[in-house]
mmCIF file of all heavy atoms in Angstrom:
data_model
loop_
_atom_site.group_PDB
_atom_site.id
_atom_site.type_symbol
_atom_site.label_atom_id
_atom_site.label_comp_id
_atom_site.label_asym_id
_atom_site.label_seq_id
_atom_site.Cartn_x
_atom_site.Cartn_y
_atom_site.Cartn_z
ATOM 1 N N PRO P 229 119.243 88.351 69.317
ATOM 2 C CA PRO P 229 118.281 89.139 68.545
ATOM 3 C C PRO P 229 118.552 90.648 68.720
ATOM 4 O O PRO P 229 119.175 91.018 69.732
ATOM 5 C CB PRO P 229 116.929 88.755 69.157
ATOM 6 C CG PRO P 229 117.281 88.300 70.512
ATOM 7 C CD PRO P 229 118.635 87.647 70.434
ATOM 8 N N PRO P 230 118.133 91.516 67.820
ATOM 9 C CA PRO P 230 118.315 92.956 67.975
ATOM 10 C C PRO P 230 117.597 93.444 69.235
ATOM 11 O O PRO P 230 116.591 92.863 69.673
ATOM 12 C CB PRO P 230 117.731 93.545 66.704
ATOM 13 C CG PRO P 230 116.837 92.492 66.129
ATOM 14 C CD PRO P 230 117.432 91.179 66.559
ATOM 15 N N PHE P 231 118.097 94.546 69.762
ATOM 16 C CA PHE P 231 117.591 95.023 71.053
ATOM 17 C C PHE P 231 116.084 95.369 70.980
ATOM 18 O O PHE P 231 115.328 95.170 71.917
ATOM 19 C CB PHE P 231 118.376 96.256 71.573
ATOM 20 C CG PHE P 231 118.043 97.533 70.840
ATOM 21 C CD1 PHE P 231 117.081 98.403 71.341
ATOM 22 C CD2 PHE P 231 118.689 97.879 69.660
ATOM 23 C CE1 PHE P 231 116.753 99.586 70.714
ATOM 24 C CE2 PHE P 231 118.363 99.077 69.022
ATOM 25 C CZ PHE P 231 117.419 99.937 69.508
ATOM 26 N N TYR P 232 115.628 95.907 69.796
ATOM 27 C CA TYR P 232 114.233 96.280 69.677
ATOM 28 C C TYR P 232 113.318 95.020 69.740
ATOM 29 O O TYR P 232 112.202 95.110 70.191
ATOM 30 C CB TYR P 232 113.967 97.061 68.395
ATOM 31 C CG TYR P 232 114.138 96.286 67.099
ATOM 32 C CD1 TYR P 232 113.084 95.531 66.612
ATOM 33 C CD2 TYR P 232 115.345 96.334 66.430
ATOM 34 C CE1 TYR P 232 113.250 94.797 65.441
ATOM 35 C CE2 TYR P 232 115.510 95.649 65.235
ATOM 36 C CZ TYR P 232 114.463 94.878 64.762
ATOM 37 O OH TYR P 232 114.613 94.151 63.582
ATOM 38 N N TRP P 233 113.850 93.905 69.242
ATOM 39 C CA TRP P 233 113.069 92.658 69.287
ATOM 40 C C TRP P 233 112.952 92.200 70.745
ATOM 41 O O TRP P 233 111.875 91.698 71.158
ATOM 42 C CB TRP P 233 113.736 91.607 68.430
ATOM 43 C CG TRP P 233 112.827 90.389 68.283
ATOM 44 C CD1 TRP P 233 112.793 89.277 69.068
ATOM 45 C CD2 TRP P 233 111.819 90.198 67.272
ATOM 46 N NE1 TRP P 233 111.810 88.423 68.640
ATOM 47 C CE2 TRP P 233 111.215 88.949 67.540
ATOM 48 C CE3 TRP P 233 111.355 90.965 66.200
ATOM 49 C CZ2 TRP P 233 110.164 88.453 66.753
ATOM 50 C CZ3 TRP P 233 110.346 90.483 65.430
ATOM 51 C CH2 TRP P 233 109.755 89.220 65.691
ATOM 52 N N SER P 234 114.013 92.342 71.519
ATOM 53 C CA SER P 234 113.961 91.955 72.929
ATOM 54 C C SER P 234 112.977 92.866 73.684
ATOM 55 O O SER P 234 112.253 92.384 74.544
ATOM 56 C CB SER P 234 115.389 92.095 73.575
ATOM 57 O OG SER P 234 116.257 91.186 72.992
ATOM 58 N N PHE P 235 112.946 94.142 73.303
ATOM 59 C CA PHE P 235 112.008 95.072 73.925
ATOM 60 C C PHE P 235 110.564 94.657 73.615
ATOM 61 O O PHE P 235 109.728 94.572 74.522
ATOM 62 C CB PHE P 235 112.238 96.505 73.409
ATOM 63 C CG PHE P 235 111.242 97.507 73.909
ATOM 64 C CD1 PHE P 235 111.287 97.999 75.192
ATOM 65 C CD2 PHE P 235 110.210 97.923 73.071
ATOM 66 C CE1 PHE P 235 110.340 98.916 75.627
ATOM 67 C CE2 PHE P 235 109.275 98.835 73.501
ATOM 68 C CZ PHE P 235 109.342 99.347 74.805
ATOM 69 N N LEU P 236 110.275 94.375 72.353
ATOM 70 C CA LEU P 236 108.930 93.954 71.960
ATOM 71 C C LEU P 236 108.539 92.642 72.583
ATOM 72 O O LEU P 236 107.395 92.431 73.004
ATOM 73 C CB LEU P 236 108.822 93.902 70.420
ATOM 74 C CG LEU P 236 108.922 95.219 69.675
ATOM 75 C CD1 LEU P 236 108.930 94.979 68.170
ATOM 76 C CD2 LEU P 236 107.789 96.129 70.055
ATOM 77 N N SER P 237 109.520 91.723 72.683
ATOM 78 C CA SER P 237 109.254 90.436 73.281
ATOM 79 C C SER P 237 108.942 90.588 74.782
ATOM 80 O O SER P 237 108.011 89.943 75.300
ATOM 81 C CB SER P 237 110.479 89.482 73.152
ATOM 82 O OG SER P 237 110.719 89.234 71.781
ATOM 83 N N GLY P 238 109.666 91.445 75.461
ATOM 84 C CA GLY P 238 109.408 91.722 76.881
ATOM 85 C C GLY P 238 108.079 92.364 77.067
ATOM 86 O O GLY P 238 107.344 92.027 78.002
ATOM 87 N N CYS P 239 107.734 93.303 76.188
ATOM 88 C CA CYS P 239 106.420 93.969 76.285
ATOM 89 C C CYS P 239 105.258 92.975 76.063
ATOM 90 O O CYS P 239 104.270 92.948 76.845
ATOM 91 C CB CYS P 239 106.277 95.097 75.239
ATOM 92 S SG CYS P 239 107.303 96.543 75.608
ATOM 93 N N GLY P 240 105.398 92.158 75.019
ATOM 94 C CA GLY P 240 104.340 91.184 74.721
ATOM 95 C C GLY P 240 104.161 90.151 75.831
ATOM 96 O O GLY P 240 103.035 89.897 76.260
#
Side-chain angles (χ1 to χ4, degrees):
F231 76 93
Y232 67 84
W233 190 270
S234 296
F235 175 78
L236 293 175
S237 298
C239 288

